[in-house]
Structure formats: structure tokens, C-alpha cells
Amino acid sequence: MATPKIAIVGAGMGGMAAAGTLQQAGIDVQVYEQAHQFGRIGAGIQMLPNSMKVLRGIGVEDTLRAHAFAPYSHLNRVGDTGEVKRELPMPEDLYGAPFLCMHRADLHEALTSIVPSDIIHLNKKLVGLEQNGGPVTLSFADGTTAKADAVIGADGVHSIVRDIIIGPDKPIHRGRIAYRSVFKSNLMPKEISISRTKWWGEDRHIVIYYTTKDRSDLYFVTSVPEPADWVTKESWSAKGDVKELRAAYAGFHPEVRMVLDACPDCHKWAILEREPLPNWSQGRVVLIGDACHPMTPYMAQGAATSIEDAAVLARCLKDVSIDGIEKAFKRFEAHRKPRTSKIQQISSANTWMSGGNDDPSWLYGYDAWNISLDEPAPTPGATQKPAAA
């Protein structure tokens, strides 16, 4: 039985996680990335237990633990008074994996470290895909082509793969932007909370946490109203105005103001969404992560769900012949779509953990390696069933 050769378009978190999980499943993988090099862009990222289980399975957990910060809890406070709205302590035994906060580049480097460098092809901007019931031909802006038995589009919210197989559509900008920054904690007069804290205002919020084990660096990300005409397609590195940022949170708690007063500079980023897609694959091309279910950052599940996707897709493709690829892609979608659509919906509403006592185990307790793939993944109120032995 011939093992499929698979091309992954996009070398972000989802693409590199997929490269790791597919390799582990014995599948030949090549990764194509449009960037000329990987850059250390200033942003933090939270890996909650659901995605940490995947990272453990591909062998990067220890690398991350060595540098990442493990918050005491998932803490939610009223923006001005500091009153606790809801707190969820996050000991490792609660959901069977740690909760870690880190710099995005540290996670990306850990994922890249388990993938052979010779299968990662940089400066490969996709411009075309062609499939006629056989191998897929990928065409790149530099005039080169590549062939694969199947293609995984892991190329983010502005996915070219999605535009080719589903049709172009515009991301939704609901008039909200994020300011964010990573900086040295010794710029502040004192330490912040050892929890990952979300401070809730009436029409804005800010999330603050350390990104290093020694608490030498911290990160914040906000969500504030902004006219919808402010959008930059590649907005990761758009500069923000620190004075505007401080003014936007002038009425917040002293701890928030202390962080923003110490912040030397920041970036400004458009928060983009899309409606759930009607389908995630066409023939032998499938989408994962932000390419098919982009979401607001308000549940810290964008990269996490793409990492979950990687593990489930590898399980669906393991020991599958070339003729079985399309069926495997449909199985992947049937399991994953109900879960990611629900997370998109809750995240868009920005209500997660703002109060109440809803059980979050459907989200954080999910185990992409061991859950049954023959039924939809858990959504609120559901319990997950392990895979049959």
C-alpha cells in the first residue's frame, strides 16, 4: 500500500504541528512557507491542557516547560475594582496536562525543532493548486511547482488555499482591535499576579501574564473598539501608540495602569473572524486551523485548536492509502467542525469565564490523541469518549 506524500502550505503553529504529527504517523511530509525566514514577533501565547496534550505527544512538552510560565489560575477580574468574577485554579492534575504561557516564538521554535529542516521550504508563496482526481500540483510565485498526493492548507486567516478551493471571501472585522506587547518585567515597580489575569471592562478588556518561567518577561493583549476601516492585512507588526493605549485604560485598576505605564512600545492588530465554512476540503485538499475556523483570541484557542486539528488529522490519515485520503478528510471534518464552530461562537461573543460556574472540561479536558473520532468532538455539556482499543 503506497503511503501518501502530503504537502503542508504554511509553517505557522498549525502547519508545524501537522508536520510533527504526520511524521509521527509515518507519512512523508513537505512544508511550504511564503516567508523568507521565521521572525521573533512580539506576542505571547497560552497553551491550555487540551493543546498541551498534543504537544506532549509530539515530544515538545519538556522543551516548553523549561522556559514557559505556569500560571496559578485562569483569573477573571472586574477592570476597575479588581473584584474577582471567576477564578479557575489550574493544577496539572485537573485536566491531565499543564497550563503554560510563553512567547509565540518559543512555541514555534519548539515545533520546528522536531521537523527536519530539509522538508521546510521557505519563500514559497502559493499561487495555484491543480487537482484532476490524481496528485495535486502546487504552483508558487517564484515559478516553481511541487506535486503531492494531498495538500493541507495551514496558511491562516488570509488563506490562499481556502480562496482556491472554497472561493474568496473577506474576513469579518467587527470594529475591534488589539494592542499587544512583550517587555521586561523589571521595567515595572513591582510584580503582577502569578495568575493569567483577564481584566473585564464594559466595552474592552486586557489580558496580562508572564511569558517566562523566571518572570523576566510579561505580555498583554487588549480588545478595544476601533472604527472598522482600520484593518491591515499583515497587521502583526503594525505599530500602536502607547499614549492612546494608556488613555483607553485610564479608568482601570492600578495593576493594569502600572503595566501600561511601564510598556515601552506596542503593536496594533486587527481582530478578524470568518463565518464557519460549509466544508473544509475539496478532493485531496483540506484546511486546518485559522484557514478554516479563525476565531477571536478571547478564549486563547486559535493556535490551540489548530494544534488539536494536527493530531486528529494525523490519526485520520494514519495507515490510509492514497485512495482513502478524501474519506479521511471527511472523517476529520465530521469530528472537528462541531467543536471548532462552537468555540468560534463563544469566543466571538467574548463571554468565556466571565462569571458563572459552567464546566469547562469539554474544552480543556479534550484529548485529541485518545478521543473517539467516529462521533463529533465535545461541545458544552458533552463528555468525551475514548477511542476504542
Side-chain angles (χ1 to χ4, degrees), residues 25-325:
I27 296 168
D28 183 347
V29 175
Q30 300 290 322
V31 182
Y32 301 93
E33 164 60 42
Q34 68 176 357
H36 300 274
Q37 62 184 27
F38 296 135
R40 192 174 177 87
I41 293 161
I45 194 166
Q46 302 174 57
M47 287 287 103
L48 286 126
N50 51 308
S51 52
M52 282 305 304
K53 289 171 190 168
V54 177
L55 297 171
R56 174 183 292 164
I58 56 176
V60 300
E61 180 181 13
D62 290 346
T63 302
L64 297 176
R65 279 180 183 272
H67 303 287
F69 176 67
Y72 167 71
S73 68
H74 189 305
L75 178 60
N76 297 268
R77 301 177 69 178
V78 177
D80 52 3
T81 66
E83 177 189 350
V84 174
K85 290 166 69 69
R86 182 171 182 183
E87 182 171 23
L88 178 67
M90 295 290 281
E92 195 170 325
D93 60 1
L94 181 61
Y95 297 113
F99 170 24
L100 298 179
C101 295
M102 64 202 77
H103 196 291
R104 290 184 76 94
D106 292 334
L107 175 57
H108 194 263
E109 285 168 17
L111 289 167
T112 304
S113 72
I114 60 165
V115 177
S117 59
D118 63 350
I119 73 165
I120 303 172
H121 310 280
L122 299 176
N123 198 24
K124 294 292 179 183
K125 180 177 174 62
L126 186 76
V127 293
L129 284 175
E130 195 173 312
Q131 55 174 335
N132 296 306
V136 186
T137 301
L138 300 89
S139 302
F140 302 102
D142 63 0
T144 61
T145 60
K147 273 191 164 52
D149 295 308
V151 171
I152 297 170
D155 52 343
V157 68
H158 299 293
S159 171
I160 296 166
V161 178
R162 181 192 55 240
D163 287 352
I164 292 170
I165 69 164
I166 306 293
D169 67 339
K170 286 191 174 181
I172 301 163
H173 184 247
R174 301 190 193 277
R176 301 198 69 81
I177 62 102
Y179 290 97
R180 57 187 179 186
S181 182
V182 176
F183 62 95
K184 292 293 178 186
S185 58
N186 63 11
L187 294 175
M188 300 185 303
K190 60 182 182 180
E191 292 195 334
I192 58 167
S193 165
I194 58 168
S195 295
R196 184 247 54 168
T197 308
K198 182 170 181 176
W199 301 84
W200 297 75
E202 284 187 17
D203 67 346
R204 64 200 60 202
H205 71 253
I206 182 170
V207 177
I208 306 172
Y209 53 84
Y210 289 110
T211 58
T212 48
K213 194 173 189 175
D214 63 4
R215 304 183 201 169
S216 60
D217 296 288
L218 83 157
Y219 171 67
F220 68 79
V221 60
T222 76
S223 173
V224 295
E226 179 87 3
D229 57 4
W230 189 89
V231 175
T232 55
K233 185 168 183 178
E234 303 299 337
S235 58
W236 287 81
S237 56
K239 278 287 184 181
D241 184 325
V242 178
K243 290 179 182 176
E244 282 183 13
L245 166 62
R246 290 173 186 150
Y249 289 86
F252 270 58
H253 189 274
E255 183 169 310
V256 174
R257 298 203 310 274
M258 176 188 73
V259 169
L260 299 183
D261 285 346
C263 171
D265 56 39
C266 62
H267 291 91
K268 189 177 180 183
W269 161 50
I271 297 175
L272 302 177
E273 304 175 62
R274 289 180 191 264
E275 297 295 346
L277 295 176
N279 53 283
W280 290 1
S281 66
Q282 181 193 84
R284 294 195 202 166
V285 181
V286 71
L287 304 170
I288 68 168
D290 282 351
C292 58
H293 50 72
M295 52 190 72
T296 67
Y298 307 149
M299 289 173 74
Q301 288 296 314
T305 49
S306 69
I307 289 168
E308 289 179 353
D309 286 348
V312 172
L313 188 55
R315 288 178 62 197
C316 289
L317 288 167
K318 186 174 174 60
D319 299 327
V320 167
S321 68
I322 292 170
D323 290 344
I325 290 172

